[in-house]
Amino acid sequence: MSTLAWFASVSLAAWVWLLLGQGFFWRTDQRLPTARDGGHAHGEPGAGPREEPTTWPHKAAGAEPPEEPTTWPRVVVVVPARDEAGVLPLSLPSLLAQDYPGAAEVILVDDGSADGTGRLAVELAGRCGGLPLTVASPGEPEPGWTGKLWALRHGMALARAREPEFLLLTDADIAHGPDSLRLLVSAAVENELDLVSQMARLRAESAWERLIVPAFVYFFAQLYPFRWINRARPRATAAAGGCVLLRTETAVAAGVPEAIRQAVIDDVSLARAVRRAGGRIWLGLAERVDSVRPYPGLGELWRMVSRSAYAQLRHSPFLLLGTVVGLVVVYLVPPVALVAGAMAGDAPAAWAGGAAWAVMAGSYAPMLRYYGQPLWLAPLLPFTALLYLLMTVDSAVLHHRGRGAAWKGRTYARPEAAPDR
C-alpha cells in the first residue's frame, strides 16, 4: 500500500468513526418543538419540507410542543449592544413584539456605542410599542472583563432587581419569531431545564455566506455534539450565545457573569459554569431565531472566525498543531487522494479517498438542507475546511502579534476561551 493510500485509509476510518461515534453530530433534528400548525421556520414562508425534529431526550420525534405552564414566570430579556444601529431595526422590534402571556420586559445595554444605538432603541420602542424597554449604559469595562460580559453584568444586575424567574440573554443582531420566548419558557419549565439555548440560523445569502456559514455550524456541532449535551448524563457542554434562556437562581449559583468575565467564547464558558453549578442544559438548532447580521464578503467572515479561533484552542501551539494536522488528514486528504490516485493509477488511494469524500459530503448534506442551500455545495466542504484552517492559523498569528480577540474597537490581550475551573 502506498503512503497516499495509507493516509486515505486513515481519513476514511476517521470519517466512519465521526459518522457513527461522534454523537450523530451531522443530524439536524435537535430543535425546539415545531408549531402545532406544522409551520415552517420563522422567516421562511412557503419553505420546503424539513426533517421532523427530535425535541427533548424523553420525547419521540415529531412530538407535540411542550404543555404551557399554568402560571407564566416573569422574564427579563437582556440585550448587550455595541454599535448595532445597522441591525437593530431588524431585531429589536421582534423582541418587543413577543407574544408572551406572562410579565416580560427588555433591557438593552448600550456598551459605549458611537453610532446612536441607545437613542435608536428608544425611538424603535416608541414606534413599535410592545414589551417595556429600558436602555442602560455600563460605562467602559473594568480591567479583566470582556466587553460583552461587562454589558451583561450590568444588564443582569438591573434585571435581578425585577426578580424574574428567567433571563433571556440574546444578541442585538438576533431576530425572534413572535412565539420564540413563549416556546423557550414552556420547554424550560416542562423539562425542568436551567439553560435552554438555540443556535440562531445565521444569514446565508451571499456566495461567501453560502459557502462558509453552514460549515461554521457543522463544525461547531462536530466539536460539541448536541445529543451529547442534551443527554441526562452529558458528555459535552456548550451553548449558543445568541439565544440563551437562563434560570435566574442558577445564574446566581453559577456566579455568572463574574465567573467567566474574561471569556471571549462566552457561550461555552457560560454553559460550563451552569453545569458546574448542577444545572441542566439543552442546546439545539433554531426554527424561530435568526441572525440578521450580514457577512457579504470573505473578509467579514474571516474576522468573525479568526477573532476567537485561537482562544478556543486555549492559545496552545500544540493544540493548534493538532488541529491543523487533523483538518488536513480528515478534510484535505480525501480529494487529494482521489485525484492523485486516479492520475497515478493508485486504485487503493483513489478508492479510499473517494469513499472518505463521499461520507464527508453526505454528512454535510443535512446542514445544507437546514440552511436551504443546494446539495452540490457538499463536495466543496474540503475547500471550506481549508479556509477555516487558514483562519485558525491567522488567529494564532494575530494573537502573538498582540492583535488577537479584537472586536469593535477593543482588543483583549490574553482572554480565556472557556475556563474549566
Side-chain angles (χ1 to χ4, degrees):
M1 180 182 290
S2 67
T3 301
L4 183 61
W6 186 86
F7 274 108
S9 299
V10 170
S11 182
L12 177 58
W15 273 110
V16 171
W17 179 82
L18 286 170
L19 192 71
L20 302 176
Q22 189 66 6
F24 294 99
F25 75 94
W26 44 272
R27 295 188 59 171
T28 59
D29 55 1
Q30 294 289 298
R31 309 187 210 172
L32 281 179
T34 54
R36 291 184 185 276
D37 61 4
H40 306 297
H42 168 58
E44 294 185 348
R50 295 189 179 275
E51 299 166 70
E52 194 64 38
T54 299
T55 54
W56 305 99
H58 61 276
K59 287 180 177 286
E64 292 293 326
E67 295 182 6
E68 295 189 339
T70 54
T71 302
W72 289 91
R74 177 182 291 273
V75 181
V76 175
V77 182
V78 179
V79 185
R82 178 174 171 84
D83 294 333
E84 298 287 13
V87 296
L88 214 57
L90 302 174
S91 60
L92 184 58
S94 73
L95 283 171
L96 301 175
Q98 285 299 298
D99 177 21
Y100 184 68
E105 61 180 292
V106 179
I107 296 176
L108 184 138
V109 184
D110 182 6
D111 181 21
S113 299
D115 65 352
T117 290
R119 182 174 61 255
L120 176 59
V122 173
E123 293 174 1
L124 289 169
R127 292 202 303 263
C128 300
L131 299 182
L133 172 71
T134 299
V135 176
S137 179
E140 283 299 305
E142 292 180 355
W145 286 82
T146 57
K148 178 181 176 181
L149 289 169
W150 177 250
L152 280 177
R153 174 183 181 268
H154 189 71
M156 291 171 69
L158 293 175
R160 283 197 290 267
R162 277 79 162 172
E163 298 184 346
E165 186 173 340
F166 287 97
L167 301 167
L168 175 61
L169 312 180
T170 185
D171 290 345
D173 63 341
I174 302 298
H176 291 254
D179 58 352
S180 173
L181 180 58
R182 186 177 192 138
L183 288 173
L184 284 164
V185 172
S186 295
V189 170
E190 182 191 2
N191 295 275
E192 298 180 349
L193 294 163
D194 298 281
L195 187 154
V196 179
S197 181
Q198 293 188 91
M199 176 73 72
R201 196 191 303 266
L202 305 176
R203 205 186 86 138
E205 297 179 9
S206 72
W208 284 111
E209 286 172 338
R210 292 169 185 267
L211 183 67
I212 292 176
V213 164
F216 177 84
V217 182
Y218 173 88
F219 292 143
F220 182 92
Q222 189 177 79
L223 189 61
Y224 301 106
F226 295 167
R227 275 178 171 74
W228 284 3
I229 294 168
N230 300 338
R231 290 173 52 171
R233 295 182 178 178
R235 295 180 59 186
T237 301
C243 176
V244 175
L245 184 74
L246 177 62
R247 198 177 292 270
T248 306
E249 64 178 358
T250 304
V252 173
V256 296
E258 288 80 6
I260 59 171
R261 59 186 177 276
Q262 287 185 296
V264 169
I265 307 175
D266 53 90
D267 42 16
V268 176
S269 299
L270 171 62
R272 288 180 176 173
V274 168
R275 190 82 83 187
R276 287 195 301 270
R280 294 187 59 210
I281 293 174
W282 185 91
L283 171 65
L285 295 172
E287 287 291 339
R288 296 166 179 79
V289 181
D290 302 290
S291 173
V292 297
R293 188 182 303 283
Y295 293 98
L298 177 59
E300 294 91 346
L301 288 161
W302 192 289
R303 285 187 289 274
M304 178 191 74
V305 175
S306 65
R307 73 183 181 92
S308 60
Y310 197 43
Q312 182 63 62
L313 299 177
R314 303 182 187 282
H315 307 106
S316 167
F318 299 103
L319 289 178
L320 175 64
L321 178 62
T323 298
V324 170
V325 171
L327 286 172
V328 169
V329 172
V330 174
Y331 287 97
L332 303 187
V333 164
V336 171
L338 174 60
V339 174
M343 293 178 63
D346 188 344
W351 180 88
W357 197 0
V359 174
M360 180 198 316
S363 73
Y364 189 37
M367 187 62 69
L368 289 173
R369 185 184 178 206
Y370 169 72
Y371 268 94
Q373 300 303 314
L375 294 184
W376 60 260
L377 288 172
L380 299 182
L381 187 58
F383 175 69
T384 306
L386 174 61
L387 290 176
Y388 274 91
L389 186 157
L390 297 175
M391 294 174 191
T392 302
V393 172
D394 183 52
S395 179
V397 172
L398 290 173
H399 170 78
H400 288 291
R401 289 179 176 176
R403 294 188 287 122
W407 189 246
K408 296 193 175 181
R410 291 177 177 145
T411 300
Y412 307 106
R414 192 175 178 85
E416 297 175 32
D420 289 321
R421 67 177 182 272

